[in-house]
Amino acid sequence: AVKLSRHKDSGVIVEDIETCMIKFSRCCTPVPGDDIIGFITKGFGVSIHRRDCKNAAGANDPQQAGRWVKVSWSTAEEKPFATTFEIDSTDRDGIWIDIATALTASRVKITEISGRDMPAGKARTIATFEVKNVQELESIRSRIRNIAGVTDVRRGQN
């Protein structure tokens, strides 16, 4: 029989481990609804990654098989999770205000936002904010993609 353990306040269920610390990886910022996998770290419990994260590629390595565990989201609560978007756009007056306005209109808590000019008339905005699940995240992504001049919106690193 498979033993499932819901880890207090993390929102994650880990298979075959009674109790452990849970930490959400900063490399891929998983949120509820993402396909996730857990990595047993040395001394820091289980690190949760999105399955498509470059750091989760080792899950297919037979030599690391014992360190990767099956995890899933608990549906018991909807607490906010921090995630980041990297937004590429044309460098035009007001682009950063438009992005900040779209995030504010989505009623999410913005924890950090920064922008910089890039070569060839481009700009990059990094926005870190909290969402309850991947559906809310995708709704925000659609809203930002609809801003004039935005060319790409991808998940970034916290």
Side-chain angles (χ1 to χ4, degrees), residues 90-101:
T90 56
D91 185 13
R92 66 163 173 82
D93 287 344
I95 188 71
W96 291 315
I97 296 290
D98 290 348
I99 292 169
T101 301

Side-chain angles (χ1 to χ4, degrees), residues 2-3 7 10 19 22 35 70 79 87 106 138 140 147 154:
V2 173
K3 188 182 283 185
H7 295 276
S10 73
T19 57
I22 298 289
D35 189 12
K70 204 170 185 183
K79 66 176 198 159
I87 305 155
S106 298
E138 290 306 324
I140 295 164
I147 296 170
R154 65 191 165 281

Side-chain angles (χ1 to χ4, degrees), residues 2-16:
V2 173
K3 188 182 283 185
L4 296 176
S5 177
R6 185 177 176 281
H7 295 276
K8 187 178 181 243
D9 299 328
S10 73
V12 170
I13 298 169
V14 179
E15 193 174 286
D16 292 333

Side-chain angles (χ1 to χ4, degrees), residues 1-137:
V2 173
K3 188 182 283 185
L4 296 176
S5 177
R6 185 177 176 281
H7 295 276
K8 187 178 181 243
D9 299 328
S10 73
V12 170
I13 298 169
V14 179
E15 193 174 286
D16 292 333
I17 298 178
E18 284 284 333
T19 57
C20 67
M21 290 183 352
I22 298 289
K23 130 182 144 81
F24 293 93
S25 65
R26 295 181 68 186
C27 52
C28 58
T29 63
V31 298
D34 281 330
D35 189 12
I36 55 175
I37 189 164
F39 180 73
I40 301 170
T41 64
K42 293 180 180 170
F44 296 103
V46 176
S47 179
I48 308 300
H49 292 268
R50 289 193 344 238
R51 234 176 238 281
D52 63 355
C53 175
K54 64 181 176 16
N55 293 324
N60 299 324
D61 180 354
Q63 290 184 327
Q64 292 186 22
R67 298 196 60 192
W68 291 95
V69 291
K70 204 170 185 183
V71 295
S72 59
W73 294 104
S74 166
T75 56
E77 60 187 88
E78 281 210 339
K79 66 176 198 159
F81 287 80
T83 193
T84 300
F85 274 160
E86 292 180 4
I87 305 155
D88 290 337
S89 64
T90 56
D91 185 13
R92 66 163 173 82
D93 287 344
I95 188 71
W96 291 315
I97 296 290
D98 290 348
I99 292 169
T101 301
L103 287 165
T104 301
S106 298
R107 299 187 181 274
V108 294
K109 180 181 176 188
I110 304 166
T111 56
E112 186 176 350
I113 190 164
S114 64
R116 68 177 187 267
D117 291 340
M118 303 293 282
K122 304 289 182 195
R124 177 162 297 148
T125 308
I126 311 289
T128 302
F129 52 95
E130 295 180 349
V131 293
K132 290 186 178 85
N133 54 45
V134 76
Q135 291 81 12
E136 184 177 31
L137 180 94

